[in-house]
Structure formats: C-alpha cells, structure tokens
Amino acid sequence: MILSKTTLALLVMASTAFTFLSRHTTTTVTTDYIPFLVKTDQQTDLQKSIAAGKEVYADFCMQCHQATGKGSGTSFPPLDGSDWLKNKRTESIHAVKYGQKGAITVNGKKFNSMMPSMGLSDEEVADVMNYIMNSWTNKQSKMVTAKEVALVKK
C-alpha cells in the first residue's frame, strides 16, 4: 500500500493528537457527530485540602511526627495507622487546633508529651487533618471541613 505524503502527514498529525489527548484527558463528551475529549484537571475539594494540608504538615508537624508519620519513639505518637486518630476524630481535631497535654494511648502504647497549639486557622486544621487522615496507610473518606473544626471548642 502506497500512501501519499499528504495522507501520511494527516495520519501522523491524527496519531499525535490522539496520543496527546489520551494522556491529558479523562472525560469523553459526545456530540451528535463525533466524540470530543475534554481535559479535566479539576481536583475534588478533598484532594485540594490534602494538597494544602501536606504543606501545613511539612511546616508544623513533620519535625515531631516525621515525614513517614511514624512518630518518634516514646515522645511523639505515630499518625500512620493511629487508632487514636481513626477512633477519636473530635479529640484529634481538638489536639491539632488547641494542642495536646497529658497522656494518650495510641495503638496500645502510652505517650505523655506536650504538643503546643500551632495557631492554625480552622481551614489549616481541616487541611492538615485531611492530609494526615489520607496519608501513609490511613484512608478516611469523610472530609474534615473548616466548619467542623470551628465547632470544636476549647
């Protein structure tokens, strides 16, 4: 089969366009004539919150709880796989918002150190909670909102 230069050029352009669109799109929109691929780079509210929370975590939490969320010995409890974080949502929000004093038990191990209040806004608390609750081995589907954080009183 012999192809003209024009036909070959059109095939290369169509193939390149298809490859580009297939790598940069996730949604197909159909019309009466042909399907069009539409780029959808929109993040969910939870994904946006997690991304913002990652920055808050790096600035305020990582020094004690480590990049891995594993904590530090007997001083700072782990966040990764934490039963306290999972089962005590309101207390976890309270600890991030106002700090934590006194003994707590995480995954069967007692921790009794002090975590000062970081002076975070309700939005920052929600973001870092969403990051922590959806990082490492933690997977929670219910998003923490700034409104929920605002309801947690000292």
Side-chain angles (χ1 to χ4, degrees), residues 111-124:
F111 294 87
N112 192 8
S113 57
M114 187 219 169
M115 181 176 89
S117 171
M118 302 296 167
L120 302 175
S121 70
D122 289 348
E123 188 68 39
E124 290 170 320

Side-chain angles (χ1 to χ4, degrees), residues 43 51 60 98 140:
Q43 292 182 312
F60 295 94
Y98 298 111
Q140 297 216 6

Side-chain angles (χ1 to χ4, degrees), residues 14-135:
S15 174
T16 302
F18 177 78
T19 301
F20 174 80
L21 289 174
S22 66
R23 287 185 182 158
H24 299 291
T25 61
T26 56
T27 305
T28 302
V29 177
T30 56
T31 65
D32 292 336
Y33 302 106
I34 57 173
F36 285 89
L37 297 173
V38 178
K39 185 175 181 181
T40 55
D41 283 303
Q42 296 176 333
Q43 292 182 312
T44 66
D45 289 341
L46 179 57
Q47 290 169 327
K48 290 176 189 174
S49 180
I50 290 169
K54 184 176 184 177
E55 292 181 30
V56 175
Y57 186 83
D59 290 344
F60 295 94
C61 312
M62 190 183 304
Q63 297 81 353
C64 298
H65 295 284
Q66 308 303 309
T68 60
K70 299 289 185 197
S72 176
T74 57
S75 300
F76 305 106
L79 301 174
D80 181 22
S82 167
D83 62 346
W84 198 79
L85 180 67
K86 182 178 179 183
N87 298 326
K88 297 187 176 196
R89 182 180 177 99
T90 301
E91 291 92 332
S92 297
I93 293 169
H94 187 277
V96 173
K97 186 173 181 175
Y98 298 111
Q100 172 66 38
K101 286 189 236 178
I104 61 170
T105 301
V106 179
N107 300 339
K109 189 174 181 181
K110 192 173 186 175
F111 294 87
N112 192 8
S113 57
M114 187 219 169
M115 181 176 89
S117 171
M118 302 296 167
L120 302 175
S121 70
D122 289 348
E123 188 68 39
E124 290 170 320
V125 171
D127 290 341
V128 78
M129 286 296 298
N130 286 318
Y131 172 72
I132 292 166
M133 294 170 75
N134 289 283
S135 293

